[in-house]
Amino acid sequence: MTETIVITGASDGVGAAAARQLAGDGHRLVLVGRSPEKTRAVAESVGAEHHLADFTRLDDVRSLAEALRRDCGRIDVLAHNAGGVFSGPSATPDGFEKTFQVNHLAPFLLTRRLQDRLLDSRARVVATSSIGARVFSRLDLDDIQTWERFTANRAYGNAKLANILFVRELHDRFHAEGLSAVAFHPGFVATNFASDTSSWFRLAYRSALRRMFSTPEEGGRRLARLITGTPGRTWSSGEYCGSDLQIARTAVAGHDPEVARRHWELSEQLLAG
């Protein structure tokens, strides 16, 4: 069966590599990116459709959801791959902390706006998270956006933990209705990651260490394997996988169902405010 696969963060890096690997399989690819030129170029190279959205602007996310609802009769896979680490704390035009919004709140909103379509299609949601959730996160639900005691690494770790908590709660709330979700670490991939921050990530990604990183093609292959995989057979819904795509440990809070529930509720309250 031809499936409709939506990939965000698809103008470069892991997302673009996954799109190239999925091209030609007979699926309908819908790519989402921020850069008009880069997103269009990738889409044209793989014969995909494309949409533009800047996740620092939630109105872009709302418009994207409406466009996908209009243009896609069904959505079989929603792959959340957009994200990054940023200096800060920095407020978006919506008033939210940038790292939190781009990595978590924007994909959360997009999923919620498409929820009925995803349920109708018994869809799979794949979220690109990071081992950074385990290494750097220090989650405080009273400061969910990490405005206080901000460092680029801590904010990124908390945001990547948010991806994992989102997947766990999405599974708990909707798996019985046919929706499946998984988060994963794509590996340390040699991309333009961290170029917008003063974090030591930026130095590592520009140093000799870069030679030890995975290629975007390897990271894209991991994403593509989850996109085309079968929940319950090739991956387990509600779980977080390491770069070997096996269930992995993350921060202690990432395994706590009560934290996942509260994080979801707080995210909804922020969007409703």
Side-chain angles (χ1 to χ4, degrees):
M1 181 184 73
T2 299
E3 293 193 319
T4 297
I5 299 169
V6 177
I7 306 175
T8 71
S11 63
D12 201 354
V14 169
R20 289 191 291 269
Q21 293 169 30
L22 292 167
D25 286 348
H27 300 305
R28 179 186 182 187
L29 295 179
V30 183
L31 309 184
V32 179
R34 183 181 61 176
S35 165
E37 296 79 12
K38 292 167 67 175
T39 308
R40 184 183 305 110
V42 174
E44 289 178 352
S45 72
V46 300
E49 303 165 40
H50 74 279
H51 294 275
L52 301 177
D54 182 344
F55 278 15
T56 67
R57 298 180 178 275
L58 292 183
D59 278 347
D60 274 21
V61 179
R62 296 181 181 98
S63 295
L64 171 62
E66 289 306 308
L68 292 172
R69 294 180 67 86
R70 180 187 67 239
D71 297 343
C72 301
R74 59 182 292 125
I75 298 174
D76 298 282
V77 181
L78 176 58
H80 291 301
N81 180 64
V85 56
F86 309 102
S87 297
S90 176
T92 68
D94 301 286
F96 300 114
E97 204 290 311
K98 182 178 180 179
T99 306
F100 175 79
Q101 179 169 318
V102 171
N103 288 278
H104 168 66
L105 203 59
F108 182 94
L109 174 61
L110 181 60
T111 306
R112 295 293 277 156
R113 288 283 176 126
L114 296 174
Q115 182 175 300
D116 58 338
R117 294 292 179 90
L118 297 172
L119 289 172
D120 288 345
S121 302
R122 301 181 67 84
R124 287 112 58 200
V125 175
V126 179
T128 301
S129 183
S130 171
I131 195 173
R134 184 174 187 178
V135 178
F136 299 117
S137 68
R138 300 293 184 272
L139 180 64
D140 178 359
L141 289 176
D142 291 327
D143 179 33
I144 191 174
Q145 299 185 62
T146 321
W147 286 111
E148 304 296 328
R149 292 177 290 122
F150 181 98
T151 68
N153 289 352
R154 178 172 178 251
Y156 176 73
N158 285 349
K160 293 292 99 180
L161 177 60
N163 299 149
I164 297 170
L165 294 169
F166 171 58
V167 157
R168 295 201 189 285
E169 189 66 8
L170 197 63
H171 169 87
D172 285 349
R173 288 174 182 249
F174 302 111
H175 188 62
E177 298 180 54
L179 190 67
S180 299
V182 66
F184 82 111
H185 172 52
F188 294 103
V189 182
T191 66
N192 292 323
F193 178 78
S195 60
D196 294 336
T197 180
S198 57
S199 164
W200 66 259
F201 270 126
R202 179 173 178 267
L203 300 178
Y205 272 73
R206 293 188 175 190
S207 73
L209 289 173
R210 186 180 176 94
R211 285 179 263 170
M212 302 171 59
F213 291 178
S214 300
T215 65
E217 287 69 30
E218 290 171 313
R221 189 173 303 115
R222 294 174 183 122
L223 176 55
R225 282 178 58 190
L226 291 174
I227 285 173
T228 58
T230 304
R233 192 186 321 170
T234 56
W235 51 264
S236 298
S237 182
E239 297 291 351
Y240 164 70
C241 299
S243 59
D244 60 357
L245 302 188
Q246 300 301 306
I247 295 174
R249 297 291 298 174
T250 186
V252 172
H255 299 277
D256 188 330
E258 178 61 18
V259 174
R261 183 187 66 80
R262 286 289 297 132
H263 200 283
W264 178 290
E265 291 175 348
L266 290 168
S267 298
E268 288 205 319
Q269 289 170 17
L270 288 171
L271 289 171

